[in-house]
Amino acid sequence: MKSNPDIKKVIRQHAEMAEFFSGGLTVKKLTAEHAENAEEEIKLNSANSAVSAVKITRPPCSAENIKELEDIAEQTRKCRKCELGSLRKNAVPGEGNTSARIMFVGEAPGADEDTQGRPFVGRAGQLLDKIIAACGLKRQDVYIGNILKCRPPDNRDPKPEEIIACIPYLQRQIELINPEIIVALGAHAAKTLLDTPKAIGQLRGIFHEYVPGLGHKPIKLMPTFHPAYLLRNYSDDNRRKVWEDMKKVLAELGLPIPPRANR
Ligand code: URA
């Protein structure tokens, strides 16, 4: 039986994406300049590995904050503030390490997330896992949330009134977790958290500041491409851009850059 060329293409892209974010394309894609950087990073990395205390998480979140995070999750499961509340199978409040130094924020749950009530568990989530692994981290080391807690039908863009209704949940989650860096995945997350109309292409690659509520210090925010966008707009250039963004995040946190991931 002849296989569908589109499916073949998707499978190939997915395999190459996996290879890219787990180091397989390293040698093939290195330019002279990249090779020099890579050497530097390997040296840096071996120096770093001599330092035993790599700080992956922050001091534990207080019991009070954890309780409030659980309350927020419960509220989202009962929420009817917008029409998505009556369309969802499950709300997706967010999950992860409440003492995380990095918090990833996506746009909204998709079909898989709606079914499981967990963020980033579909194809885009598998790619996010690879990006996290390429950073030398595990999913359990970070916190993962979304702008919207419920799935928009057919994965359409969030409506402004849905964002307005839902954003207080995320704002409070950010205050309670108080990560050192937020990585905004894609245009919707970046534009919403930074309250800007600028395009993701203009925003990504540089640190911005997310300003939580009164009495909270600004939090560094790195916008980058959404994993689903990467899957749709598959190119070495886009993948490299995401990796460049993540390297900046690691450097800012003083975390080592895994040598196999030098690209
Ligand atoms: N895309 C998102 O933005 N969030 C998810 O949780 C899954 C896919």
Side-chain angles (χ1 to χ4, degrees):
M1 197 178 75
K2 243 177 115 188
S3 61
N4 177 335
D6 281 349
I7 293 178
K8 266 174 110 181
K9 189 172 148 210
V10 167
I11 292 170
R12 180 180 53 77
Q13 286 183 351
H14 211 67
E16 286 185 25
M17 190 78 74
E19 202 189 359
F20 182 86
F21 279 108
S22 56
L25 294 188
T26 309
V27 177
K28 202 164 83 194
K29 298 294 172 194
L30 281 181
T31 61
E33 188 201 347
H34 283 121
E36 242 173 57
N37 290 342
E39 236 176 71
E40 277 305 301
E41 283 171 7
I42 288 166
K43 275 189 221 146
L44 201 91
N45 207 50
S46 31
N48 279 343
S49 60
V51 182
S52 56
V54 171
K55 225 169 46 107
I56 288 180
T57 55
R58 317 177 62 240
C61 191
S62 72
E64 252 176 40
N65 285 12
I66 291 175
K67 167 79 176 66
E68 193 176 336
L69 286 164
E70 286 165 4
D71 290 346
I72 291 171
E74 207 38 51
Q75 286 163 30
T76 66
R77 293 185 190 107
K78 295 184 184 136
C79 185
R80 291 280 188 275
K81 287 202 251 169
C82 75
E83 64 161 2
L84 302 183
S86 56
L87 300 174
R88 68 173 176 241
K89 285 193 195 125
N90 288 293
V92 181
E95 68 179 27
N97 196 316
T98 52
S99 310
R101 300 182 75 194
I102 307 177
M103 181 165 179
F104 289 89
V105 177
E107 176 182 324
D112 295 310
E113 291 76 20
D114 183 50
T115 303
Q116 298 187 37
R118 298 182 55 213
F120 282 97
V121 289
R123 273 187 76 212
Q126 285 163 22
L127 179 53
L128 179 60
D129 288 347
K130 282 171 189 133
I131 295 170
I132 293 170
C135 292
L137 300 171
K138 298 189 199 73
R139 198 174 155 108
Q140 307 90 274
D141 297 327
V142 303
Y143 197 90
I144 305 177
N146 276 307
I147 298 290
L148 293 189
K149 307 303 188 197
C150 298
R151 182 191 182 206
D154 301 321
N155 300 340
R156 63 153 168 75
D157 285 351
K159 292 182 183 169
E161 61 270 27
E162 291 161 356
I163 295 179
I164 290 167
C166 207
I167 199 70
Y169 295 128
L170 178 67
Q171 285 169 332
R172 190 64 187 142
Q173 287 173 317
I174 294 173
E175 286 175 2
L176 292 166
I177 294 163
N178 193 22
E180 283 165 64
I181 294 187
I182 296 170
V183 177
L185 299 168
H188 287 284
K191 288 167 151 188
T192 303
L193 292 175
L194 297 174
D195 194 17
T196 174
K198 285 190 186 162
I200 184 70
Q202 274 179 283
L203 295 169
R204 63 147 289 276
I206 34 178
F207 281 109
H208 301 257
E209 276 192 349
Y210 168 77
V211 188
L214 276 182
H216 290 264
K217 281 202 288 194
I219 298 172
K220 288 200 162 71
L221 184 148
M222 173 61 75
T224 194
F225 292 136
H226 194 289
Y229 171 88
L230 265 190
L231 289 168
R232 284 193 310 271
N233 299 275
Y234 170 81
S235 70
D236 284 350
D237 191 40
N238 283 340
R239 290 178 297 165
R240 202 173 304 287
K241 281 177 179 158
V242 171
W243 180 235
E244 292 302 322
D245 300 344
M246 292 313 302
K247 281 203 291 188
K248 287 181 189 166
V249 169
L250 293 175
E252 184 64 29
L253 293 173
L255 291 174
I257 293 159
R260 72 192 177 108
N262 290 311
R263 298 171 173 108

